Amino acid sequence: MTENEKKLLQAKHRLEEAQMRDRVKERKARTHRLIQEGAILEKALPQTTQMTLEQLEDFLWEVFKAVR
């Protein structure tokens, strides 16, 4: 393997690692946002804490259908 090939391969790996770091950062930001939104939902509508996910989804669809 020539020196140029090694440098090219290293650059490719650095790029892949940077992309992986970005994906992890985006995933963590999304997770954080979803947790915050869920906390706000529970604070605003405490009755939702007793619902299953399916019941919660149905409830929210009904609420937002009425708003339209």
Side-chain angles (χ1 to χ4, degrees), residues 15-25:
L15 177 62
E16 288 172 352
E17 289 202 9
Q19 290 171 337
M20 276 190 350
R21 282 192 302 271
D22 288 345
R23 282 193 301 270
V24 167
K25 198 180 283 187

Side-chain angles (χ1 to χ4, degrees), residues 25-39:
K25 198 180 283 187
E26 289 170 5
R27 188 179 71 242
K28 285 184 178 187
R30 179 178 185 270
T31 298
H32 183 71
R33 179 181 53 81
L34 291 173
I35 290 169
Q36 288 181 315
E37 289 173 354

Side-chain angles (χ1 to χ4, degrees), residues 1-52:
M1 185 178 283
T2 69
E3 191 64 30
N4 282 340
E5 289 173 329
K6 285 182 185 179
K7 287 182 181 181
L8 186 61
L9 188 58
Q10 286 176 338
K12 179 183 173 192
H13 287 156
R14 279 195 294 272
L15 177 62
E16 288 172 352
E17 289 202 9
Q19 290 171 337
M20 276 190 350
R21 282 192 302 271
D22 288 345
R23 282 193 301 270
V24 167
K25 198 180 283 187
E26 289 170 5
R27 188 179 71 242
K28 285 184 178 187
R30 179 178 185 270
T31 298
H32 183 71
R33 179 181 53 81
L34 291 173
I35 290 169
Q36 288 181 315
E37 289 173 354
I40 291 168
L41 174 67
E42 285 185 357
K43 187 176 180 180
L45 301 166
Q47 70 272 23
T48 61
T49 61
Q50 305 301 318
M51 296 179 183
T52 66

